Amino acid sequence: MDGEDMAPEGGDSKGRDSAAVRARYAGAAQAFLELAGQVPDQAWPRPALGEWDVRALTGHTSRALTTVETYLATPATGERVAGPVEYFLAVRDAASPDAIAQRGRETGEALGEDPAAAVRELVQRVTVLVRNTPDDALVATPAGAMALIDYLPTRTFELAVHTLDLARALGLPPPASLAPAVAASLELAGAIGSRLPAAGELLLLLTGRTGLPEGLSVL
């Protein structure tokens, strides 16, 4: 999928290409499944990201699937959230790093003796659910009620970032099916960053001025 086919991920659902949003989410879920299936049995306790081992990182990533299922089944109340940018701005400081780390460990343990099989079953179940749910179905998120088609880009973002994390931890290349989700997530990250007080510093970071390996820049 090239840039001309990509609808903006940061706007509201009126300007969003529903088929593209759904395809990116499904592709990211399949990429996560593909990578989880390549984890050797002995690698699940391997350090992965911060306090997480590979199992905990996989558990945390799986929440980009389970939250869709859970939030669709929960009555949506509260103020309507306009889109994915507003969602991320609302939840940026909602949970402490310690709470997030612990939840990842717990979710990882809940994957059981065969985490890859658990991920496979979860991906199959949730992608079917999403496929059979209309765009305007309400999702009860921590930030407020959202249309499913506005919430999915936030889950694609989580799948893209943490599947990349998992690939790095395993020393494997990211699956090719992740590429559209990565491109859309970069766009969403830029939209979020533009609304932050540190927008200028983020732009300098992306253009290789500071904090990045030499030669790594969007220019």
Side-chain angles (χ1 to χ4, degrees):
M1 183 179 301
D2 61 29
E4 293 181 353
D5 296 327
M6 288 179 56
E9 288 283 33
D12 62 24
S13 55
K14 293 180 181 179
R16 206 181 310 288
D17 182 337
S18 170
V21 169
R22 290 171 174 274
R24 288 191 285 263
Y25 180 73
Q30 289 301 318
F32 172 46
L33 172 59
E34 180 181 337
L35 205 55
Q38 297 180 59
V39 180
D41 289 341
Q42 68 273 18
W44 293 107
R46 182 186 300 173
L49 179 67
E51 299 179 34
W52 288 332
D53 57 14
V54 170
R55 173 185 281 273
L57 175 57
T58 302
H60 178 79
T61 309
S62 74
R63 285 180 49 78
L65 299 153
T66 57
T67 51
V68 174
E69 186 175 52
T70 301
Y71 295 167
L72 275 171
T74 304
T77 59
E79 187 175 350
R80 185 74 171 263
V81 180
V85 173
E86 289 75 15
Y87 170 85
F88 276 118
L89 292 174
V91 302
R92 281 186 87 230
D93 302 316
S96 71
D98 288 344
I100 293 171
Q102 179 59 27
R103 191 164 57 197
R105 288 190 290 267
E106 291 172 354
T107 310
E109 288 301 319
L111 293 174
E113 295 183 1
D114 190 344
V119 169
R120 184 182 315 113
E121 194 278 332
L122 181 59
V123 167
Q124 291 171 347
R125 189 174 75 237
V126 174
T127 53
V128 168
L129 172 64
V130 169
R131 189 162 59 245
N132 293 330
T133 302
D135 290 352
D136 59 358
L138 289 182
V139 181
T141 82
M146 296 183 73
L148 174 64
I149 204 63
D150 291 330
Y151 183 60
L152 284 179
T154 75
R155 303 304 86 194
T156 300
F157 186 96
E158 294 286 339
L159 282 167
V161 171
H162 292 307
T163 300
L164 291 173
D165 287 332
L166 186 58
R168 290 183 65 190
L170 296 171
L172 295 172
S177 58
L178 191 63
V182 170
S185 297
L186 273 171
E187 183 180 356
L188 178 53
I192 296 166
S194 71
R195 301 271 293 272
L196 299 177
E201 286 80 1
L202 288 170
L203 180 58
L204 291 175
L205 183 69
L206 286 172
T207 51
R209 272 28 177 206
T210 179
L212 292 176
E214 185 176 356
L216 182 58
S217 168
V218 296
L219 300 179

